[in-house]
């Protein structure tokens, strides 16, 4: 009998709406200083608590909406906890050393197998857990949660595995991990750049000036301060994806197939038992 293909955890309409709302709030949080005038308070230490207060309920809302849309059950929540714990444990292994952060590789593969909605929540929760683990709690934390959530979500939006498998899939994930690592670093640079002053006319943020002029300075700032750091993160993500990706993809897909997140559950009117199709054998019966 042919094994069922593991499917990502689907995003229903309520979960999709919650994700869109989180993304819009995140874009506003990162970008509002570019549109502010010279007299505006630009310290993200002032807006970060408000962003964090809005982000946590919305993350819970994404999970609850996914559960309500029958996209996530107790098994998926348990897998979320396990992967978040592993990712949080991986981050301290390289953080602070030339940008080497092995957790990015795990986020790429998890988002790929389990889908964009699960990937977003996993990325945000993992960053939150790692901040608590490493003492990295600060005004940057909610921005890191958003950026990592987007990074993992993007991996879940790549072309489906039914069309791309094997070496082509690994190459796709490696390219995404490389580009996504730079994108993550660039987005996080925007969070810190607007509050750093006195770095020189060519790279400092000038409140109230045209957006195009400030973006040109921002590009110069990224090239001057973070290209090497982002390159280390991107290179490690590529190496781990190409060397360990096949093994981890198989493990995640096997776990997803056995968990059967999308298996329908029906009640047997005769005996009050619950019948759930088994991913391995077709139909199994559990006493109710």
């Amino acid at each position: 009998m042919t094994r069922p293909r593991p499917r990502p955890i689907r995003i229903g309409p309520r979960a999709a709406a919650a994700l869109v709302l989180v993304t819009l709030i995140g874009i506003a949080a990162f970008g509002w200083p570019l549109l502010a005038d010279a007299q505006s308070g630009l310290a993200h230490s002032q807006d970060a608590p408000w962003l964090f207060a809005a982000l946590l309920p919305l993350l819970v809302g994404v999970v609850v909406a996914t559960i309500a849309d029958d996209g996530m059950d107790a098994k998926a929540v348990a897998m979320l906890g396990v992967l978040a714990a592993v990712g949080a444990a991986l981050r301290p292994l390289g953080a602070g050393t030339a940008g080497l952060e092995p957790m990015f590789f795990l986020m790429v593969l998890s988002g790929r197998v389990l889908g964009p909605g699960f990937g977003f929540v996993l990325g945000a929760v993992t960053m939150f857990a790692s901040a608590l683990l490493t003492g990295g709690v600060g005004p940057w934390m909610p921005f890191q949660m958003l950026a990592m959530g987007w990074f993992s979500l993007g991996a879940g939006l790549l072309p489906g595995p039914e069309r791309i498998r094997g070496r082509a899939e690994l190459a796709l994930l490696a390219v995404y991990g490389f580009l996504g690592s730079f994108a993550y670093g660039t987005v996080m640079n925007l969070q810190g750049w607007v509050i750093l002053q006195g770095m020189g006319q060519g790279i400092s943020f000038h409140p109230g000036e045209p957006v195009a002029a400030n973006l040109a300075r921002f590009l110069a700032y990224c090239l001057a301060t973070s290209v090497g750091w982002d390159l280390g993160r991107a290179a490690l993500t590529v190496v781990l994806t190409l060397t360990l990706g096949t093994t981890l993809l198989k493990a995640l897909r096997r776990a997803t197939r056995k968990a059967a997140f999308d298996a329908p559950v029906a009640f047997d009117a005769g005996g009050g038992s619950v019948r759930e199709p088994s991913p391995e054998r077709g139909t199994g019966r559990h006493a109710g």
Side-chain angles (χ1 to χ4, degrees):
M1 182 177 180
T2 303
R3 286 184 175 183
R5 189 181 299 277
R7 298 178 182 176
I9 296 173
R10 73 181 187 88
I11 301 179
R14 283 170 286 194
L19 279 172
V20 170
L21 182 58
V22 171
T23 297
L24 292 176
I25 291 176
I27 292 173
F30 275 103
W32 75 264
L34 293 174
L35 304 177
D37 59 38
Q39 280 68 47
S40 297
L42 293 172
H44 275 308
S45 59
Q46 297 176 7
D47 63 22
W50 297 102
L51 175 61
F52 188 64
L55 181 60
L56 282 186
L58 286 172
L59 285 175
V60 174
V62 173
V63 176
V64 171
T66 307
I67 293 173
D69 290 333
D70 296 327
M72 186 180 290
D73 58 12
K75 294 172 288 188
V77 174
M79 183 172 285
L80 173 66
V82 170
L83 290 174
V86 173
L90 284 175
R91 191 178 182 213
L93 297 180
T97 307
L100 303 178
E101 296 181 87
M103 68 174 289
F104 279 74
F105 135 82
L106 177 64
M107 297 299 104
V108 170
L109 272 61
S110 299
R112 170 66 169 174
V113 173
L114 293 160
F118 186 98
F120 180 87
V121 176
L122 174 63
V125 170
T126 301
M127 192 58 72
F128 177 73
S130 69
L132 297 180
L133 182 64
T134 61
V137 177
W140 53 84
M141 187 180 71
F143 296 92
Q144 289 179 327
M145 291 171 64
L146 277 168
M148 184 57 72
W150 290 333
F151 177 80
S152 302
L153 180 148
L157 294 176
L158 295 173
E162 65 277 359
R163 289 179 285 172
I164 303 177
R165 296 298 290 267
R167 293 182 179 179
E169 182 179 34
L170 282 184
L172 174 67
L173 295 176
V175 170
Y176 175 81
F178 185 87
L179 298 177
S181 295
F182 276 96
Y184 173 89
T186 301
V187 168
M188 286 307 302
N189 281 344
L190 183 60
Q191 178 266 329
W193 173 66
V194 297
I195 60 176
L196 295 176
Q197 302 296 321
M199 295 181 296
Q201 287 294 109
I203 61 175
S204 288
F205 174 61
H206 294 183
E209 291 205 2
V211 173
N214 270 323
L215 287 179
R217 295 189 187 98
F218 176 63
L219 178 59
Y221 168 80
C222 292
L223 292 175
T225 62
S226 65
V227 167
W229 189 275
D230 293 338
L231 182 61
R233 178 192 301 120
L236 180 63
T237 302
V238 170
V239 170
L240 291 178
T241 300
L242 294 178
T243 56
L244 303 178
T246 299
T247 301
L248 186 54
L249 283 173
K250 287 181 179 178
L252 288 171
R253 283 173 174 146
R254 186 182 304 113
T256 302
R257 184 168 54 246
K258 289 184 177 180
F261 298 129
D262 59 345
V265 177
F267 289 90
D268 188 343
S273 60
V274 179
R275 302 176 63 185
E276 179 178 338
S278 168
E280 303 291 342
R281 298 183 180 178
T283 301
R285 186 180 295 270
H286 308 281

